[in-house]
Amino acid sequence: EAQVTQNPRYLITVTGKKLTVTCSQNMNHEYMSWYRQDPGLGLRQIYYSMNVEVTDKGDVPEGYKVSRKEKRNFPLILESPSPNQTSLYFCASSSTRVPGLAVSYNEQFFGPGTRLTVL
Amino acid sequence: AQSVSQHNHHVILSEAASLELGCNYSYGGTVNLFWYVQYPGQHLQLLLKYFSGDPLVKGIKGFEAEFIKSKFSFNLRKPSVQWSDTAEYFCAVLKYTGFQKLVFGTGTRLLVSP
């Protein structure tokens, strides 16, 4: 089954304790992205990756890191979480409509979400 | 400033009522348009999308949307809603500025009462 998976689904942690949220897709998609969803703000992009070893900041990258060492995986790292990073996080991926043409992406497929609480 | 606007934050309808959710964006140039739905406790699912061609697009579950380029709008419609349509609806615009960027509206919470 084609899907985007995230782990863990729920996480409660304390300020300053490093954590990683994993994201994996089995659709061979080039593009992957992380979003956070907060009430009244919709989804805001944290980081994105257009392919292996190619990552860039989205709208709200502060306090987050990512890596893309393999095509299928795109982990989100919080080196020193703070309470303002309490949120619902979604990973997403998409393919290109024209192979190799980075500006022709299809719709994004979303993972099930990770609800993070930082105390 | 918000680049994708969903003016209705909360909508309450009775079953069988017609639905129209507004979406306006402020980008010029090439855009692709999407509506996503998020049922309670679930992830986002694609309802419909517009890339090119017929500006009236039909999606799943009886939803449709019309792209009106002159108005920078992509409103979502359904002629008769069901209780199971209770969800949050997000409009999203994929814009190209040397790279792709998907920008979401703030969402509209729809409650359909039986």
Side-chain angles (χ1 to χ4, degrees), chain A residues 31 35 37 40-43 45 48 50 59 88 90 94 97 103-108 110-112, chain B residues 32 34 36 38 41-44 46 49 51 88 90 94 96 98-102 104-107:
Chain A
Y31 184 92
Y35 298 88
Q37 183 181 12
L41 297 177
L43 279 84
Q45 189 178 52
Y48 67 94
M50 292 201 286
D59 297 316
L88 179 58
F90 288 101
S94 68
R97 285 185 285 139
V103 294
S104 65
Y105 288 99
N106 285 311
E107 68 273 18
Q108 294 188 14
F110 285 82
Chain B
N32 300 136
F34 307 86
Y36 283 87
Q38 186 178 30
Q42 296 189 25
H43 62 285
L44 277 79
L46 183 70
K49 61 186 177 183
F51 284 108
E88 189 159 16
F90 293 93
L94 183 64
Y96 297 97
F99 56 90
Q100 78 147 4
K101 184 174 176 63
L102 189 64
F104 284 87
T106 53

Side-chain angles (χ1 to χ4, degrees), chain A residues 75-96:
Chain A
L76 179 69
I77 303 156
L78 284 72
E79 294 271 2
S80 183
S82 62
N84 65 13
Q85 292 178 298
T86 292
S87 187
L88 179 58
Y89 291 86
F90 288 101
C91 180
S93 71
S94 68
S95 59
T96 54

Side-chain angles (χ1 to χ4, degrees), chain B residues 37-58:
Chain B
V37 61
Q38 186 178 30
Y39 297 105
Q42 296 189 25
H43 62 285
L44 277 79
Q45 302 170 45
L46 183 70
L47 267 181
L48 48 77
K49 61 186 177 183
Y50 173 81
F51 284 108
S52 62
D54 189 344
L56 183 62
V57 289
K58 295 194 183 299

Side-chain angles (χ1 to χ4, degrees), chain A:
Chain A
E1 179 189 355
Q3 60 183 348
V4 179
T5 56
Q6 293 177 229
N7 281 292
R9 295 289 312 280
Y10 302 89
L11 179 60
I12 301 174
T13 189
V14 295
T15 299
K17 187 176 181 182
K18 181 179 178 179
L19 66 92
T20 298
V21 183
T22 64
C23 171
S24 183
Q25 50 93 5
N26 62 1
M27 295 169 279
N28 201 36
H29 286 170
E30 295 86 357
Y31 184 92
M32 297 185 75
S33 182
W34 276 102
Y35 298 88
R36 60 178 289 174
Q37 183 181 12
D38 301 289
L41 297 177
L43 279 84
R44 294 177 294 167
Q45 189 178 52
I46 303 171
Y47 268 94
Y48 67 94
S49 169
M50 292 201 286
N51 216 322
V52 175
E53 302 291 2
V54 181
T55 64
D56 207 348
K57 296 176 181 178
D59 297 316
V60 289
E62 293 77 21
Y64 304 96
K65 284 175 56 177
V66 292
S67 69
R68 187 91 181 272
K69 292 182 168 45
E70 306 164 282
K71 199 171 186 179
R72 62 184 295 128
N73 296 323
F74 190 45
L76 179 69
I77 303 156
L78 284 72
E79 294 271 2
S80 183
S82 62
N84 65 13
Q85 292 178 298
T86 292
S87 187
L88 179 58
Y89 291 86
F90 288 101
C91 180
S93 71
S94 68
S95 59
T96 54
R97 285 185 285 139
V98 177
L101 185 61
V103 294
S104 65
Y105 288 99
N106 285 311
E107 68 273 18
Q108 294 188 14
F109 292 84
F110 285 82
T114 295
R115 188 167 290 282
L116 172 65
T117 301
V118 184
L119 302 173

